[in-house]
Amino acid sequence: MSSLTIRNIRKVFGAVEVLKDIALRIDAGEFLILVGPSGCGKSTLLNILAGLDTATSGEILIGDKVVNNLSPKDRDIAMVFQSYALYPNMTVRQNISFGLEMRRVPKQEQGEIVDRVAKILQMAHLLDRKPAQLSGGQRQRVAMGRAIARDPQLFLFDEPLSNLDAKLRVEMRTEIKLLHDRLKATIVYVTHDQIEAMTLGSKIAVMQGGEIRQFGSPQEIYDRPADLFVAGFIGSPSMNFIKAQAVEDAGGVGLQLQTADGPFVLPLREAGEALRPRMGKTLILGVRPEQISDSGTVLRTARYAYARKFRIELVEPTGPDTLLFVRINGETVCCRVRPEQACAAGESMELAFDLSKAVFFDPDSGKRIG
Amino acid sequence: MVEVQRTETAGARVIGRVMLYALLILFALYYLMPLFVMLTTSLKTLDDIRGGNLIALPEQVSFDAWIKAWSSACTGVNCGGLSGNFWNSVSFVLPAVAISTLIGALNGYVLTMWRFRGSDVFFTLLLIGCFIPFQVVLLPMAQTLGWLGIANSTTGLIFVHVVYGLAFTTLFFRNFYVSIPEELVKAARIDGAGFFRIFWRIILPLSPPILVVCVIWQFTQIWNDFLFGVVFSSGERQPITVALNNLVNTSTGVKEYNVDMAAAIIAGLPTLFVYVVAGKYFVRGLTAGSVKG
C-alpha cells in the first residue's frame, strides 16, 4: 500500500477548466472520499489518477513515484466502476483472473488468488457463473474481487454503490468499510452521497466547480465546514442558515432574530466572541437540525444553550426522530426532536438552541468566520 | 346478451384472421412463383418446355440441365460450364468478406472505444462512402489497381470489394459497439490489456450478432456483384454472376431455358445458404442479448 500525493492538478477542456489546481495528500492505508455534486470534477480527477485521462498540468505521485506518464496498467492500481464493468463473456473466475493473466502470474498462483478472494468476499459458489447470471449486489462483489485480486498500491472506486437499491447499498457500504479495515488498503472513493462520504472516509475532499472546497476528516468537515457550500452539502437534513444582524447583548454578542411571535435576541455568549468586530453587520448563523431540539434534551447535554417557545409550522416524523419546522427571520428552520417530545403542527413548544457547535458565515464570501 | 355479443366479436376476429392469412398466402405464392418456375423449368427437358405450360410440373424430372450448367455449358468458345466461375467467386468472396468484416470491426472498435481528435469527422466521411454509387469509382479504381499492379487479378477484385465494403462494415460495428459501455475497455486497460488484446478477448466475443449481420450483408453484396466483376476481371477469372450473364446472353445455337434456369439457381444458392444458416444464428444472437438484459 502506498500514499497518494496530488500536486496542483489542472484539467482544461477547451475553454472550460474542469479541475482548478487540485492538491492533496493521503497516507498509506487512508480512505479518501471525493464527494461533490455531479459535474464537480470528481470523476475526472479519478480518471486522471487511473491514467485513463491526462491532466493538463500538475503531478500525481503514488508512493514516491511520479506516475503522470505511466499507462494505467503500469500504475499498479485497481478500479471498481459504477457499472461494475465485468467482462460479459467471461465467468466470474475468468473476470477475476484476467488482470493476473495479463500480468503473467503463473496459472497455479492465479487459481490460489482467485480462491482466496472468493473466500474473503464469500462468493466461492459464484465462480463459474457469467455476470449476466448474477444480481446487482453479486456483480458489485465480483468487481471488488477483481480489484482485490490484483493487490494494487491504490484502489479507485467510482461511485460503486449508486446502482444498488437502498438496502443493499447500506450492506455493501459496511462491507467496503470492513474490507478496508482488513486490507489496510489506500483507497480513493468517488461518491455524490454525503452519507457514504461520512461513514466510509478517513479523509474527505468536498469538491465543487473543479475545486476542493474543504479537505479534512469527516468530523472536522461536519463540525467546522469551511464555507456555506460544504456546510449545506454535508449532513442530512442539511444545516439551517439564518441571516441575522449581530447586536450588542449584555456585554456580549447576540443575533437579532424575528419569529411570527415577535423579535428577540439570541445570546451567543462564548460562541460569539469571534463576531465582536462585526457588531452591527449581517452574517449567517449555521446550525444543524439536531442542534435545535426539545429543551429538555439540549439543556442537559449542551455546554450552553438558549431556550424559547416557537410555533411549529410543519411536522415530519422520520421514525427515530421527528423533524419540526419553524420560521425564523423568514427562513424555514428544521429542528430535530425525539418523537415523544414532538407536538402537532400549529402548536407552540419550547425548543432550545445548542450554541456550542453553532458556526457563522460571512454572507458575502460564504466563508466560515473564526 | 353479453354472451351473444362476445361470440359475435369472436366470429369477426376469426373472419379477420382468415382474410389476413389468405392475403399473406396469396402474396407468398406471388413471390414464390418465379422460384417455382425456375425450379420446374430447370428440371424439364427442352421438348417439355417447348410443348408445355410455363407453370406446369415437368412430365419427367431430369437433372441434365443442372449437370450441363455446372460442367459443360458453353459461353462463347469456353465450354466448361459455370463450375470454374463458381469457384472463382468463392475464392474472392470469402477473403473479401472476411477482410472487410475484420477491418470494419477494428474500425468500429477504434471509433467508439479509442476516440481521437476528429474521429467523428472521420466517421461521417466514411459514411459518405455508403452513398457513392459503384459506377463513380470505376475509373479511379481501375487506375489505382493499375498502379498497385493488381489489375485483372483475384487480389484486385478482393481489394475493390474490401475498400467498397468498409463504409458499410464500419457503420455496422460502430453502431453496435456504441452500446457497449466504455468502462469495459477502461477496466481492461487497468487490468493490463492492450489495444489488440482488449479487442480480441473482450470486444470480439461480444460481437457475434453484428458479425452475422455483417457477414450476411457483405456476402450477399459481393457474391451478387456484377459491375465490379465485369469491369475488373476477365476471361477465366470472371465471377459467376458475369458468367451467368454470358451464358444466358449467348446468341448462338438453341436457347436452352432449362440450363439457364439451373445456372441462375446455382448462382443464387450460396446467398440462400448463408441466409438460411446464418439467419438462424442471427436470431439466436438477438434473443441471447435480450435475455442478458
Side-chain angles (χ1 to χ4, degrees), chain A residues 47 52 73 77 79 81 83 85-89 99 101-103 146 150, chain B residues 181 183-184 186-193 197 201-202 205-206 292:
Chain A
N47 277 335
L52 297 169
K73 68 178 160 68
I77 51 170
M79 190 156 169
F81 294 88
S83 67
L86 301 179
Y87 311 127
N89 53 311
E101 189 192 326
M102 291 300 118
R103 286 180 164 67
R146 192 166 64 178
R150 292 261 322 283
Chain B
E183 293 190 337
L184 225 49
K186 289 184 180 179
R189 283 174 66 193
I190 290 175
D191 265 345
R197 184 102 58 151
R201 294 282 303 271
I202 314 279
L206 298 176
K292 260 180 214 159

PDB file of all heavy atoms in Angstrom, chain A residues 47 52 73 77 79 81 83 85-89 99 101-103 146 150, chain B residues 181 183-184 186-193 197 201-202 205-206 292:
ATOM      1  N   ASN A  47     -10.321   9.563 -12.937  1.00  0.00           N
ATOM      2  CA  ASN A  47      -9.813   9.048 -14.207  1.00  0.00           C
ATOM      3  C   ASN A  47      -8.364   9.459 -14.442  1.00  0.00           C
ATOM      4  O   ASN A  47      -7.586   8.713 -15.028  1.00  0.00           O
ATOM      5  CB  ASN A  47     -10.683   9.532 -15.370  1.00  0.00           C
ATOM      6  CG  ASN A  47     -11.907   8.654 -15.554  1.00  0.00           C
ATOM      7  OD1 ASN A  47     -11.913   7.487 -15.183  1.00  0.00           O
ATOM      8  ND2 ASN A  47     -12.958   9.225 -16.107  1.00  0.00           N
ATOM      9  N   LEU A  52      -6.544   7.023 -17.127  1.00  0.00           N
ATOM     10  CA  LEU A  52      -7.473   6.912 -18.248  1.00  0.00           C
ATOM     11  C   LEU A  52      -7.686   8.272 -18.895  1.00  0.00           C
ATOM     12  O   LEU A  52      -8.243   8.387 -19.970  1.00  0.00           O
ATOM     13  CB  LEU A  52      -8.810   6.344 -17.767  1.00  0.00           C
ATOM     14  CG  LEU A  52      -8.731   4.933 -17.196  1.00  0.00           C
ATOM     15  CD1 LEU A  52     -10.035   4.562 -16.508  1.00  0.00           C
ATOM     16  CD2 LEU A  52      -8.437   3.942 -18.305  1.00  0.00           C
ATOM     17  N   LYS A  73      -1.930   0.461 -16.794  1.00  0.00           N
ATOM     18  CA  LYS A  73      -1.504  -0.861 -16.340  1.00  0.00           C
ATOM     19  C   LYS A  73      -0.197  -0.813 -15.551  1.00  0.00           C
ATOM     20  O   LYS A  73       0.091  -1.697 -14.778  1.00  0.00           O
ATOM     21  CB  LYS A  73      -1.389  -1.828 -17.510  1.00  0.00           C
ATOM     22  CG  LYS A  73      -0.280  -1.536 -18.496  1.00  0.00           C
ATOM     23  CD  LYS A  73      -0.293  -2.623 -19.567  1.00  0.00           C
ATOM     24  CE  LYS A  73       0.404  -2.246 -20.840  1.00  0.00           C
ATOM     25  NZ  LYS A  73       1.816  -2.069 -20.845  1.00  0.00           N
ATOM     26  N   ILE A  77      -2.625   0.042  -9.977  1.00  0.00           N
ATOM     27  CA  ILE A  77      -3.878   0.455  -9.351  1.00  0.00           C
ATOM     28  C   ILE A  77      -4.957  -0.548  -9.738  1.00  0.00           C
ATOM     29  O   ILE A  77      -4.766  -1.328 -10.665  1.00  0.00           O
ATOM     30  CB  ILE A  77      -4.319   1.840  -9.862  1.00  0.00           C
ATOM     31  CG1 ILE A  77      -4.312   1.833 -11.387  1.00  0.00           C
ATOM     32  CG2 ILE A  77      -3.407   2.927  -9.323  1.00  0.00           C
ATOM     33  CD1 ILE A  77      -4.939   3.018 -12.001  1.00  0.00           C
ATOM     34  N   MET A  79      -9.413  -0.613 -10.128  1.00  0.00           N
ATOM     35  CA  MET A  79     -10.544   0.309 -10.124  1.00  0.00           C
ATOM     36  C   MET A  79     -11.860  -0.466 -10.113  1.00  0.00           C
ATOM     37  O   MET A  79     -11.988  -1.496 -10.777  1.00  0.00           O
ATOM     38  CB  MET A  79     -10.456   1.193 -11.371  1.00  0.00           C
ATOM     39  CG  MET A  79     -11.418   2.347 -11.383  1.00  0.00           C
ATOM     40  SD  MET A  79     -10.777   3.655 -12.462  1.00  0.00           S
ATOM     41  CE  MET A  79     -12.190   4.722 -12.578  1.00  0.00           C
ATOM     42  N   PHE A  81     -15.854   0.102 -10.938  1.00  0.00           N
ATOM     43  CA  PHE A  81     -16.676   1.065 -11.672  1.00  0.00           C
ATOM     44  C   PHE A  81     -18.131   1.041 -11.207  1.00  0.00           C
ATOM     45  O   PHE A  81     -18.613   0.040 -10.685  1.00  0.00           O
ATOM     46  CB  PHE A  81     -16.638   0.747 -13.166  1.00  0.00           C
ATOM     47  CG  PHE A  81     -15.286   0.940 -13.778  1.00  0.00           C
ATOM     48  CD1 PHE A  81     -14.361  -0.090 -13.787  1.00  0.00           C
ATOM     49  CD2 PHE A  81     -14.936   2.151 -14.341  1.00  0.00           C
ATOM     50  CE1 PHE A  81     -13.118   0.083 -14.352  1.00  0.00           C
ATOM     51  CE2 PHE A  81     -13.693   2.332 -14.915  1.00  0.00           C
ATOM     52  CZ  PHE A  81     -12.779   1.298 -14.915  1.00  0.00           C
ATOM     53  N   SER A  83     -20.722   0.939 -13.126  1.00  0.00           N
ATOM     54  CA  SER A  83     -21.482  -0.058 -13.889  1.00  0.00           C
ATOM     55  C   SER A  83     -20.864  -1.451 -13.737  1.00  0.00           C
ATOM     56  O   SER A  83     -21.191  -2.343 -14.490  1.00  0.00           O
ATOM     57  CB  SER A  83     -21.499   0.329 -15.358  1.00  0.00           C
ATOM     58  OG  SER A  83     -20.193   0.236 -15.895  1.00  0.00           O
ATOM     59  N   ALA A  85     -18.603  -2.997 -14.867  1.00  0.00           N
ATOM     60  CA  ALA A  85     -17.693  -3.269 -15.985  1.00  0.00           C
ATOM     61  C   ALA A  85     -17.103  -4.672 -15.922  1.00  0.00           C
ATOM     62  O   ALA A  85     -15.927  -4.876 -16.153  1.00  0.00           O
ATOM     63  CB  ALA A  85     -16.572  -2.218 -16.042  1.00  0.00           C
ATOM     64  N   LEU A  86     -17.944  -5.644 -15.618  1.00  0.00           N
ATOM     65  CA  LEU A  86     -17.487  -7.037 -15.679  1.00  0.00           C
ATOM     66  C   LEU A  86     -17.498  -7.470 -17.135  1.00  0.00           C
ATOM     67  O   LEU A  86     -18.346  -7.044 -17.902  1.00  0.00           O
ATOM     68  CB  LEU A  86     -18.422  -7.939 -14.866  1.00  0.00           C
ATOM     69  CG  LEU A  86     -18.546  -7.579 -13.395  1.00  0.00           C
ATOM     70  CD1 LEU A  86     -19.514  -8.531 -12.706  1.00  0.00           C
ATOM     71  CD2 LEU A  86     -17.198  -7.631 -12.719  1.00  0.00           C
ATOM     72  N   TYR A  87     -16.536  -8.330 -17.509  1.00  0.00           N
ATOM     73  CA  TYR A  87     -16.485  -8.791 -18.891  1.00  0.00           C
ATOM     74  C   TYR A  87     -17.605  -9.810 -19.095  1.00  0.00           C
ATOM     75  O   TYR A  87     -17.585 -10.887 -18.495  1.00  0.00           O
ATOM     76  CB  TYR A  87     -15.119  -9.416 -19.184  1.00  0.00           C
ATOM     77  CG  TYR A  87     -13.967  -8.544 -18.734  1.00  0.00           C
ATOM     78  CD1 TYR A  87     -12.971  -9.027 -17.906  1.00  0.00           C
ATOM     79  CD2 TYR A  87     -13.896  -7.209 -19.123  1.00  0.00           C
ATOM     80  CE1 TYR A  87     -11.925  -8.220 -17.487  1.00  0.00           C
ATOM     81  CE2 TYR A  87     -12.866  -6.390 -18.704  1.00  0.00           C
ATOM     82  CZ  TYR A  87     -11.884  -6.895 -17.885  1.00  0.00           C
ATOM     83  OH  TYR A  87     -10.868  -6.092 -17.468  1.00  0.00           O
ATOM     84  N   PRO A  88     -18.593  -9.489 -19.924  1.00  0.00           N
ATOM     85  CA  PRO A  88     -19.801 -10.314 -20.003  1.00  0.00           C
ATOM     86  C   PRO A  88     -19.542 -11.711 -20.552  1.00  0.00           C
ATOM     87  O   PRO A  88     -20.290 -12.638 -20.267  1.00  0.00           O
ATOM     88  CB  PRO A  88     -20.724  -9.551 -20.954  1.00  0.00           C
ATOM     89  CG  PRO A  88     -20.056  -8.260 -21.253  1.00  0.00           C
ATOM     90  CD  PRO A  88     -18.622  -8.354 -20.850  1.00  0.00           C
ATOM     91  N   ASN A  89     -18.479 -11.851 -21.342  1.00  0.00           N
ATOM     92  CA  ASN A  89     -18.225 -13.135 -21.985  1.00  0.00           C
ATOM     93  C   ASN A  89     -17.418 -14.082 -21.105  1.00  0.00           C
ATOM     94  O   ASN A  89     -17.181 -15.206 -21.486  1.00  0.00           O
ATOM     95  CB  ASN A  89     -17.482 -12.911 -23.306  1.00  0.00           C
ATOM     96  CG  ASN A  89     -16.234 -12.069 -23.113  1.00  0.00           C
ATOM     97  OD1 ASN A  89     -16.288 -11.022 -22.479  1.00  0.00           O
ATOM     98  ND2 ASN A  89     -15.121 -12.516 -23.626  1.00  0.00           N
ATOM     99  N   GLY A  99      -6.882  -9.914 -14.965  1.00  0.00           N
ATOM    100  CA  GLY A  99      -5.811  -8.970 -14.660  1.00  0.00           C
ATOM    101  C   GLY A  99      -4.515  -9.676 -14.263  1.00  0.00           C
ATOM    102  O   GLY A  99      -3.424  -9.204 -14.580  1.00  0.00           O
ATOM    103  N   GLU A 101      -3.671 -12.717 -15.314  1.00  0.00           N
ATOM    104  CA  GLU A 101      -3.183 -13.323 -16.546  1.00  0.00           C
ATOM    105  C   GLU A 101      -2.409 -12.289 -17.375  1.00  0.00           C
ATOM    106  O   GLU A 101      -1.338 -12.580 -17.909  1.00  0.00           O
ATOM    107  CB  GLU A 101      -4.386 -13.848 -17.321  1.00  0.00           C
ATOM    108  CG  GLU A 101      -4.048 -14.683 -18.523  1.00  0.00           C
ATOM    109  CD  GLU A 101      -5.282 -14.918 -19.383  1.00  0.00           C
ATOM    110  OE1 GLU A 101      -6.396 -15.035 -18.829  1.00  0.00           O
ATOM    111  OE2 GLU A 101      -5.127 -14.964 -20.615  1.00  0.00           O
ATOM    112  N   MET A 102      -2.945 -11.078 -17.440  1.00  0.00           N
ATOM    113  CA  MET A 102      -2.290 -10.013 -18.203  1.00  0.00           C
ATOM    114  C   MET A 102      -0.921  -9.687 -17.598  1.00  0.00           C
ATOM    115  O   MET A 102      -0.036  -9.213 -18.280  1.00  0.00           O
ATOM    116  CB  MET A 102      -3.145  -8.742 -18.201  1.00  0.00           C
ATOM    117  CG  MET A 102      -4.424  -8.847 -18.996  1.00  0.00           C
ATOM    118  SD  MET A 102      -4.142  -9.221 -20.720  1.00  0.00           S
ATOM    119  CE  MET A 102      -4.968 -10.772 -20.875  1.00  0.00           C
ATOM    120  N   ARG A 103      -0.806  -9.911 -16.299  1.00  0.00           N
ATOM    121  CA  ARG A 103       0.465  -9.628 -15.631  1.00  0.00           C
ATOM    122  C   ARG A 103       1.336 -10.859 -15.516  1.00  0.00           C
ATOM    123  O   ARG A 103       2.278 -10.892 -14.752  1.00  0.00           O
ATOM    124  CB  ARG A 103       0.187  -9.030 -14.253  1.00  0.00           C
ATOM    125  CG  ARG A 103      -0.273  -7.615 -14.374  1.00  0.00           C
ATOM    126  CD  ARG A 103      -0.580  -6.950 -13.067  1.00  0.00           C
ATOM    127  NE  ARG A 103      -0.649  -5.515 -13.253  1.00  0.00           N
ATOM    128  CZ  ARG A 103      -1.574  -4.886 -13.958  1.00  0.00           C
ATOM    129  NH1 ARG A 103      -2.525  -5.582 -14.523  1.00  0.00           N
ATOM    130  NH2 ARG A 103      -1.553  -3.576 -14.096  1.00  0.00           N
ATOM    131  N   ARG A 146     -12.241  -8.508  -8.253  1.00  0.00           N
ATOM    132  CA  ARG A 146     -11.293  -8.302  -9.341  1.00  0.00           C
ATOM    133  C   ARG A 146     -10.213  -7.305  -8.921  1.00  0.00           C
ATOM    134  O   ARG A 146      -9.045  -7.464  -9.243  1.00  0.00           O
ATOM    135  CB  ARG A 146     -12.065  -7.780 -10.556  1.00  0.00           C
ATOM    136  CG  ARG A 146     -11.278  -7.797 -11.817  1.00  0.00           C
ATOM    137  CD  ARG A 146     -12.168  -7.609 -13.012  1.00  0.00           C
ATOM    138  NE  ARG A 146     -12.809  -6.301 -13.021  1.00  0.00           N
ATOM    139  CZ  ARG A 146     -13.604  -5.881 -13.997  1.00  0.00           C
ATOM    140  NH1 ARG A 146     -13.856  -6.658 -15.020  1.00  0.00           N
ATOM    141  NH2 ARG A 146     -14.157  -4.692 -13.946  1.00  0.00           N
ATOM    142  N   ARG A 150      -5.740  -8.225  -7.510  1.00  0.00           N
ATOM    143  CA  ARG A 150      -4.526  -7.639  -8.055  1.00  0.00           C
ATOM    144  C   ARG A 150      -3.586  -7.147  -6.969  1.00  0.00           C
ATOM    145  O   ARG A 150      -2.418  -6.883  -7.232  1.00  0.00           O
ATOM    146  CB  ARG A 150      -4.928  -6.474  -8.954  1.00  0.00           C
ATOM    147  CG  ARG A 150      -5.663  -6.899 -10.216  1.00  0.00           C
ATOM    148  CD  ARG A 150      -4.678  -6.901 -11.314  1.00  0.00           C
ATOM    149  NE  ARG A 150      -3.819  -5.751 -11.071  1.00  0.00           N
ATOM    150  CZ  ARG A 150      -4.166  -4.503 -11.335  1.00  0.00           C
ATOM    151  NH1 ARG A 150      -5.288  -4.276 -11.941  1.00  0.00           N
ATOM    152  NH2 ARG A 150      -3.379  -3.512 -11.033  1.00  0.00           N
TER     153      ARG A 150
ATOM    154  N   PRO B 181     -20.600  -0.500 -22.944  1.00  0.00           N
ATOM    155  CA  PRO B 181     -20.079   0.557 -22.063  1.00  0.00           C
ATOM    156  C   PRO B 181     -18.568   0.711 -22.180  1.00  0.00           C
ATOM    157  O   PRO B 181     -17.838  -0.282 -22.195  1.00  0.00           O
ATOM    158  CB  PRO B 181     -20.479   0.091 -20.662  1.00  0.00           C
ATOM    159  CG  PRO B 181     -20.871  -1.326 -20.799  1.00  0.00           C
ATOM    160  CD  PRO B 181     -21.286  -1.552 -22.202  1.00  0.00           C
ATOM    161  N   GLU B 183     -16.622   1.673 -20.044  1.00  0.00           N
ATOM    162  CA  GLU B 183     -15.960   1.262 -18.801  1.00  0.00           C
ATOM    163  C   GLU B 183     -15.341  -0.126 -18.926  1.00  0.00           C
ATOM    164  O   GLU B 183     -14.366  -0.435 -18.251  1.00  0.00           O
ATOM    165  CB  GLU B 183     -16.966   1.285 -17.645  1.00  0.00           C
ATOM    166  CG  GLU B 183     -17.420   2.697 -17.314  1.00  0.00           C
ATOM    167  CD  GLU B 183     -18.227   2.760 -16.022  1.00  0.00           C
ATOM    168  OE1 GLU B 183     -18.796   1.718 -15.628  1.00  0.00           O
ATOM    169  OE2 GLU B 183     -18.284   3.840 -15.428  1.00  0.00           O
ATOM    170  N   LEU B 184     -15.926  -0.939 -19.810  1.00  0.00           N
ATOM    171  CA  LEU B 184     -15.385  -2.275 -20.035  1.00  0.00           C
ATOM    172  C   LEU B 184     -13.945  -2.182 -20.524  1.00  0.00           C
ATOM    173  O   LEU B 184     -13.065  -2.923 -20.079  1.00  0.00           O
ATOM    174  CB  LEU B 184     -16.248  -2.965 -21.086  1.00  0.00           C
ATOM    175  CG  LEU B 184     -16.681  -4.394 -20.852  1.00  0.00           C
ATOM    176  CD1 LEU B 184     -17.260  -4.576 -19.479  1.00  0.00           C
ATOM    177  CD2 LEU B 184     -17.679  -4.808 -21.902  1.00  0.00           C
ATOM    178  N   LYS B 186     -12.012   0.490 -20.198  1.00  0.00           N
ATOM    179  CA  LYS B 186     -11.207   1.105 -19.134  1.00  0.00           C
ATOM    180  C   LYS B 186     -10.759   0.043 -18.138  1.00  0.00           C
ATOM    181  O   LYS B 186      -9.593  -0.002 -17.726  1.00  0.00           O
ATOM    182  CB  LYS B 186     -12.028   2.172 -18.399  1.00  0.00           C
ATOM    183  CG  LYS B 186     -12.298   3.416 -19.209  1.00  0.00           C
ATOM    184  CD  LYS B 186     -13.028   4.435 -18.342  1.00  0.00           C
ATOM    185  CE  LYS B 186     -13.312   5.702 -19.106  1.00  0.00           C
ATOM    186  NZ  LYS B 186     -14.048   6.665 -18.264  1.00  0.00           N
ATOM    187  N   ALA B 187     -11.698  -0.815 -17.746  1.00  0.00           N
ATOM    188  CA  ALA B 187     -11.370  -1.861 -16.776  1.00  0.00           C
ATOM    189  C   ALA B 187     -10.274  -2.767 -17.329  1.00  0.00           C
ATOM    190  O   ALA B 187      -9.329  -3.125 -16.619  1.00  0.00           O
ATOM    191  CB  ALA B 187     -12.620  -2.676 -16.444  1.00  0.00           C
ATOM    192  N   ALA B 188     -10.394  -3.104 -18.600  1.00  0.00           N
ATOM    193  CA  ALA B 188      -9.397  -3.992 -19.208  1.00  0.00           C
ATOM    194  C   ALA B 188      -8.036  -3.308 -19.298  1.00  0.00           C
ATOM    195  O   ALA B 188      -6.999  -3.945 -19.120  1.00  0.00           O
ATOM    196  CB  ALA B 188      -9.870  -4.426 -20.596  1.00  0.00           C
ATOM    197  N   ARG B 189      -8.054  -2.001 -19.566  1.00  0.00           N
ATOM    198  CA  ARG B 189      -6.779  -1.279 -19.635  1.00  0.00           C
ATOM    199  C   ARG B 189      -6.102  -1.286 -18.272  1.00  0.00           C
ATOM    200  O   ARG B 189      -4.890  -1.472 -18.165  1.00  0.00           O
ATOM    201  CB  ARG B 189      -7.015   0.171 -20.082  1.00  0.00           C
ATOM    202  CG  ARG B 189      -7.261   0.300 -21.564  1.00  0.00           C
ATOM    203  CD  ARG B 189      -7.622   1.712 -21.925  1.00  0.00           C
ATOM    204  NE  ARG B 189      -6.507   2.633 -21.711  1.00  0.00           N
ATOM    205  CZ  ARG B 189      -6.644   3.962 -21.712  1.00  0.00           C
ATOM    206  NH1 ARG B 189      -7.817   4.504 -21.894  1.00  0.00           N
ATOM    207  NH2 ARG B 189      -5.599   4.729 -21.535  1.00  0.00           N
ATOM    208  N   ILE B 190      -6.895  -1.058 -17.227  1.00  0.00           N
ATOM    209  CA  ILE B 190      -6.318  -1.070 -15.882  1.00  0.00           C
ATOM    210  C   ILE B 190      -5.837  -2.474 -15.530  1.00  0.00           C
ATOM    211  O   ILE B 190      -4.821  -2.653 -14.879  1.00  0.00           O
ATOM    212  CB  ILE B 190      -7.347  -0.545 -14.860  1.00  0.00           C
ATOM    213  CG1 ILE B 190      -7.535   0.948 -15.090  1.00  0.00           C
ATOM    214  CG2 ILE B 190      -6.908  -0.827 -13.439  1.00  0.00           C
ATOM    215  CD1 ILE B 190      -8.582   1.579 -14.243  1.00  0.00           C
ATOM    216  N   ASP B 191      -6.581  -3.473 -16.042  1.00  0.00           N
ATOM    217  CA  ASP B 191      -6.166  -4.852 -15.806  1.00  0.00           C
ATOM    218  C   ASP B 191      -4.876  -5.181 -16.538  1.00  0.00           C
ATOM    219  O   ASP B 191      -4.273  -6.228 -16.281  1.00  0.00           O
ATOM    220  CB  ASP B 191      -7.269  -5.823 -16.254  1.00  0.00           C
ATOM    221  CG  ASP B 191      -8.166  -6.224 -15.100  1.00  0.00           C
ATOM    222  OD1 ASP B 191      -7.769  -5.983 -13.940  1.00  0.00           O
ATOM    223  OD2 ASP B 191      -9.259  -6.770 -15.337  1.00  0.00           O
ATOM    224  N   GLY B 192      -4.494  -4.335 -17.474  1.00  0.00           N
ATOM    225  CA  GLY B 192      -3.200  -4.545 -18.118  1.00  0.00           C
ATOM    226  C   GLY B 192      -3.267  -5.020 -19.557  1.00  0.00           C
ATOM    227  O   GLY B 192      -2.251  -5.385 -20.135  1.00  0.00           O
ATOM    228  N   ALA B 193      -4.468  -5.030 -20.142  1.00  0.00           N
ATOM    229  CA  ALA B 193      -4.579  -5.488 -21.524  1.00  0.00           C
ATOM    230  C   ALA B 193      -4.349  -4.325 -22.480  1.00  0.00           C
ATOM    231  O   ALA B 193      -4.690  -3.188 -22.175  1.00  0.00           O
ATOM    232  CB  ALA B 193      -5.958  -6.097 -21.765  1.00  0.00           C
ATOM    233  N   ARG B 197      -5.375  -6.877 -27.535  1.00  0.00           N
ATOM    234  CA  ARG B 197      -5.809  -7.880 -26.573  1.00  0.00           C
ATOM    235  C   ARG B 197      -7.253  -7.589 -26.125  1.00  0.00           C
ATOM    236  O   ARG B 197      -8.060  -8.502 -26.020  1.00  0.00           O
ATOM    237  CB  ARG B 197      -4.876  -7.880 -25.371  1.00  0.00           C
ATOM    238  CG  ARG B 197      -5.206  -8.943 -24.378  1.00  0.00           C
ATOM    239  CD  ARG B 197      -4.299 -10.119 -24.458  1.00  0.00           C
ATOM    240  NE  ARG B 197      -2.919  -9.737 -24.263  1.00  0.00           N
ATOM    241  CZ  ARG B 197      -2.009 -10.563 -23.739  1.00  0.00           C
ATOM    242  NH1 ARG B 197      -2.375 -11.767 -23.358  1.00  0.00           N
ATOM    243  NH2 ARG B 197      -0.773 -10.179 -23.601  1.00  0.00           N
ATOM    244  N   ARG B 201     -10.049 -10.277 -26.798  1.00  0.00           N
ATOM    245  CA  ARG B 201     -10.558 -11.007 -25.642  1.00  0.00           C
ATOM    246  C   ARG B 201     -11.889 -10.471 -25.107  1.00  0.00           C
ATOM    247  O   ARG B 201     -12.659 -11.212 -24.502  1.00  0.00           O
ATOM    248  CB  ARG B 201      -9.531 -10.979 -24.503  1.00  0.00           C
ATOM    249  CG  ARG B 201      -8.241 -11.724 -24.792  1.00  0.00           C
ATOM    250  CD  ARG B 201      -8.424 -13.231 -24.643  1.00  0.00           C
ATOM    251  NE  ARG B 201      -8.902 -13.611 -23.348  1.00  0.00           N
ATOM    252  CZ  ARG B 201      -8.126 -13.883 -22.311  1.00  0.00           C
ATOM    253  NH1 ARG B 201      -6.832 -13.827 -22.446  1.00  0.00           N
ATOM    254  NH2 ARG B 201      -8.652 -14.213 -21.159  1.00  0.00           N
ATOM    255  N   ILE B 202     -12.135  -9.187 -25.271  1.00  0.00           N
ATOM    256  CA  ILE B 202     -13.333  -8.603 -24.661  1.00  0.00           C
ATOM    257  C   ILE B 202     -14.368  -8.214 -25.727  1.00  0.00           C
ATOM    258  O   ILE B 202     -15.529  -8.597 -25.633  1.00  0.00           O
ATOM    259  CB  ILE B 202     -12.981  -7.323 -23.854  1.00  0.00           C
ATOM    260  CG1 ILE B 202     -11.765  -7.561 -22.977  1.00  0.00           C
ATOM    261  CG2 ILE B 202     -14.194  -6.825 -23.075  1.00  0.00           C
ATOM    262  CD1 ILE B 202     -12.020  -8.265 -21.697  1.00  0.00           C
ATOM    263  N   PRO B 205     -15.611 -11.198 -28.592  1.00  0.00           N
ATOM    264  CA  PRO B 205     -16.550 -12.199 -28.074  1.00  0.00           C
ATOM    265  C   PRO B 205     -17.961 -11.652 -27.849  1.00  0.00           C
ATOM    266  O   PRO B 205     -18.900 -12.422 -27.719  1.00  0.00           O
ATOM    267  CB  PRO B 205     -15.921 -12.617 -26.731  1.00  0.00           C
ATOM    268  CG  PRO B 205     -14.480 -12.325 -26.880  1.00  0.00           C
ATOM    269  CD  PRO B 205     -14.405 -11.107 -27.750  1.00  0.00           C
ATOM    270  N   LEU B 206     -18.109 -10.330 -27.810  1.00  0.00           N
ATOM    271  CA  LEU B 206     -19.440  -9.752 -27.633  1.00  0.00           C
ATOM    272  C   LEU B 206     -20.111  -9.495 -28.976  1.00  0.00           C
ATOM    273  O   LEU B 206     -21.243  -9.040 -29.035  1.00  0.00           O
ATOM    274  CB  LEU B 206     -19.340  -8.424 -26.864  1.00  0.00           C
ATOM    275  CG  LEU B 206     -18.788  -8.498 -25.449  1.00  0.00           C
ATOM    276  CD1 LEU B 206     -18.658  -7.104 -24.856  1.00  0.00           C
ATOM    277  CD2 LEU B 206     -19.698  -9.344 -24.583  1.00  0.00           C
ATOM    278  N   LYS B 292     -29.868 -11.401 -21.619  1.00  0.00           N
ATOM    279  CA  LYS B 292     -28.837 -10.789 -20.794  1.00  0.00           C
ATOM    280  C   LYS B 292     -29.325  -9.499 -20.160  1.00  0.00           C
ATOM    281  O   LYS B 292     -28.946  -9.150 -19.064  1.00  0.00           O
ATOM    282  CB  LYS B 292     -27.602 -10.484 -21.645  1.00  0.00           C
ATOM    283  CG  LYS B 292     -26.493 -11.517 -21.486  1.00  0.00           C
ATOM    284  CD  LYS B 292     -25.320 -11.144 -22.363  1.00  0.00           C
ATOM    285  CE  LYS B 292     -24.614 -12.379 -22.904  1.00  0.00           C
ATOM    286  NZ  LYS B 292     -23.836 -12.105 -24.089  1.00  0.00           N
TER     287      LYS B 292
END
